[in-house]
Amino acid sequence: MPLSKEAIYQSLLPQIEFLVSGEEDRIANMANISSALHEAFGFWWTGFYRVEPTADGVGELVLGPFQGPIACTRIPFGRGVCGKAWQQAQTIIVPDVHQFPGHIACSSASNSEIVVPVLHDGAVIAVLDIDSRDFNAFDSTDQHYLELISRLL
Ligand code: SME
């Protein structure tokens, strides 16, 4: 019988904790977290967008470490699922990306998505974005564990 999602996260979480403890470089940690999640679950795309400053003071999301096919490089505040999760500082689960108004399609193969904000001192500093080729791939179990993982950064 294949392992449950819960069982995979439970075995992955201590490994990720070990991996990032003792390493201060956030980009390196994002890279290893992307890889660990991507390999364990076989997602379509797993990665981070980092909040970076812009001249107008709003900021934008800039592509960070990821696993999977090439992706959009920059995402404005409030745009797409990633920009909305940043704006709301809350996790967004999208069961069918084709029904999400303003969804940014980096790949037509993606059908569902979860975006988890990475918070630091109360501010969103990045988002963790995971895409699946399956519809309705993400639920509250993913949200629970991915939010725990995002707090390790
Ligand atoms: N679909 C995302 C854009 C990022 S890519 O899927 C990697 C969005 O609407 O925010």
Side-chain angles (χ1 to χ4, degrees):
M1 211 178 79
L3 282 174
S4 71
K5 183 186 269 193
E6 177 90 26
I8 298 174
Y9 278 116
Q10 287 206 359
S11 96
L12 205 55
L13 190 60
Q15 294 177 52
I16 291 179
E17 277 168 351
F18 178 75
L19 205 57
V20 304
S21 67
E23 178 49 65
E24 304 239 310
D25 189 290
R26 197 175 276 135
I27 302 237
N29 288 337
M30 287 177 175
N32 267 335
I33 289 172
S34 307
S35 174
L37 288 168
H38 199 76
E39 293 289 315
F41 288 100
F43 294 130
W44 175 248
W45 196 93
T46 312
F48 290 88
Y49 282 89
R50 298 162 297 116
V51 174
E52 288 291 326
T54 50
D56 62 8
V58 177
E60 64 184 345
L61 292 173
V62 181
L63 184 62
F66 72 95
Q67 299 278 313
I70 58 165
C72 322
T73 317
R74 291 171 192 270
I75 299 177
F77 184 69
R79 286 278 302 281
V81 188
C82 292
K84 281 255 156 31
W86 172 23
Q87 186 174 40
Q88 296 170 2
Q90 271 178 1
T91 296
I92 300 180
I93 294 173
V94 184
D96 177 354
V97 296
H98 312 288
Q99 305 298 322
F100 188 92
H103 172 253
I104 302 165
C106 293
S107 159
S108 57
S110 169
N111 285 315
S112 66
E113 178 165 6
I114 185 168
V115 181
V116 178
V118 178
L119 290 142
H120 213 256
D121 296 332
V124 178
I125 56 153
V127 298
L128 168 58
D129 177 18
I130 305 181
D131 291 27
S132 173
R133 274 166 293 185
D134 299 328
F135 288 96
N136 207 12
F138 303 103
D139 56 23
S140 55
T141 301
D142 299 282
Q143 176 169 358
H144 173 71
Y145 284 100
L146 296 173
E147 286 179 355
L148 286 180
I149 290 167
S150 76
R151 284 182 210 130
L152 300 173
L153 282 164

